[in-house]
Amino acid sequence: MAKLTNVRERVHQPFRDSLIRTAGTFVAGVQDNTTLFTVAGKDIGATNLPQGSVLPSDQSMVVLALRVFTWFRQPIGRGTTVTVAGGTNYPASNGDFAFSGASIWNVAQSNIANGNAPGSVEDVYRLYWQSAEQLFWSFGAGDKFSISSMPTAYFPYGGGLHGDLGGVTDLINLNNGMPDHSGILRLARAILIPPRQNIKCTAQIVALPDGGNSSTFNESQGTRNMNSLTSNLNAPDLVSKVVTFTFDGLFSRDVQ
């Protein structure tokens, strides 16, 4: 369908891209410095701007808010099997994973030796704490950043699950800020993305300093630095991990 010449409509449309989105079953590739909104062809789970670094078709945007979504969940192990009438085996409980078979167990043991045992609720809490403080974001358009090197905690997401089930449960549901749209970061001055301008967004991870005492306190676990968010995000520890950056505002697009 042909577009109407010199006619645009302005809509509220956020755009997002993921630093990581994984089930935790493989070694992820997060670096200490990562540029977002540059890779074309990602699936819809990772981004809703699949063409990469520019808005499509000479479109433009007035960015009014920035948000960072953090979501982590510990794995649920499957219980041992039980035998019912007829000799059929069923799992005693449902779960995300089970070590069954020598080859699978050997792979799992190798990961455990490298500090990547299946994650616990404490591992999930660590990811939330580290992503809030160690992960710094910069955003702008063209060749300049409009906002530079601010931690994830500065960009509350304003939506999602929150809280826990209480008692002895380890089923926690947290996010970056309260799940309330009144809690998002509204920019003091809008960031303009003109047509054909590159979206400029970087994520930088800076681990907490240890003063050279890492070996003294045995901080490393196998090949994994437990004080580094990069290392913990990349670990194949079966922890589900999602970190996404969103710029939100008024999107000007063609009318067809």
Side-chain angles (χ1 to χ4, degrees):
M1 182 182 296
K3 66 181 181 180
L4 300 180
T5 306
N6 298 324
V7 178
R8 292 288 184 97
E9 63 176 346
R10 181 167 284 183
V11 297
H12 177 198
Q13 174 59 62
F15 291 99
R16 58 179 169 79
D17 194 16
S18 298
L19 174 66
I20 185 172
R21 187 171 187 265
T22 177
T25 55
F26 59 93
V27 178
V30 175
Q31 304 294 319
D32 287 344
N33 291 278
T34 303
T35 302
L36 277 68
F37 299 102
T38 58
V39 178
K42 288 185 177 181
D43 64 38
I44 192 64
T47 184
N48 63 342
L49 193 62
Q51 66 271 15
S53 62
V54 297
L55 298 174
S57 302
D58 286 346
Q59 295 166 351
S60 61
M61 187 159 183
V62 178
V63 179
L64 301 175
L66 301 174
R67 313 184 188 203
V68 177
F69 178 65
T70 55
W71 182 85
F72 309 108
R73 184 180 69 84
Q74 71 278 9
I76 302 171
R78 190 169 306 126
T80 57
T81 59
V82 294
T83 302
V84 298
T88 303
N89 293 326
Y90 289 97
S93 62
N94 297 316
D96 301 322
F97 73 97
F99 295 139
S100 58
S103 61
I104 296 176
W105 177 252
N106 290 340
V107 171
Q109 287 290 79
S110 176
N111 284 337
I112 290 171
N114 283 318
N116 301 322
S120 67
V121 62
E122 288 82 5
D123 292 296
V124 171
Y125 274 124
R126 182 195 295 112
L127 286 167
Y128 277 111
W129 295 331
Q130 289 182 336
S131 63
E133 194 282 331
Q134 292 187 22
L135 179 53
F136 298 89
W137 299 92
S138 300
F139 182 81
D143 296 326
K144 293 183 178 180
F145 288 121
S146 296
I147 188 167
S148 299
S149 300
M150 292 302 295
T152 295
Y154 190 74
F155 305 94
Y157 189 70
L161 299 171
H162 185 80
D164 62 65
L165 298 182
V168 297
T169 180
D170 59 2
L171 296 176
I172 59 172
N173 298 299
L174 302 175
N175 64 19
N176 183 35
M178 294 297 292
D180 181 348
H181 282 281
S182 65
I184 66 174
L185 170 66
R186 294 171 177 81
L187 299 175
R189 186 176 182 86
I191 299 172
L192 305 181
I193 303 179
R196 298 182 297 280
Q197 283 281 4
N198 286 334
I199 299 161
K200 192 172 178 65
C201 180
T202 63
Q204 183 178 14
I205 299 174
V206 183
L208 286 172
D210 56 30
N213 290 322
S214 176
S215 59
T216 301
F217 291 97
N218 195 23
E219 292 176 359
S220 295
Q221 185 171 306
T223 58
R224 181 175 172 186
N225 178 3
M226 305 309 294
N227 280 332
S228 168
L229 175 62
T230 303
S231 190
N232 290 325
L233 287 175
N234 288 331
D237 54 3
L238 303 181
V239 175
S240 302
K241 305 161 189 168
V242 179
V243 179
T244 299
F245 188 91
T246 297
F247 59 94
D248 197 346
L250 300 176
F251 176 50
S252 180
R253 64 186 182 188
D254 299 326
V255 176
Q256 295 181 327

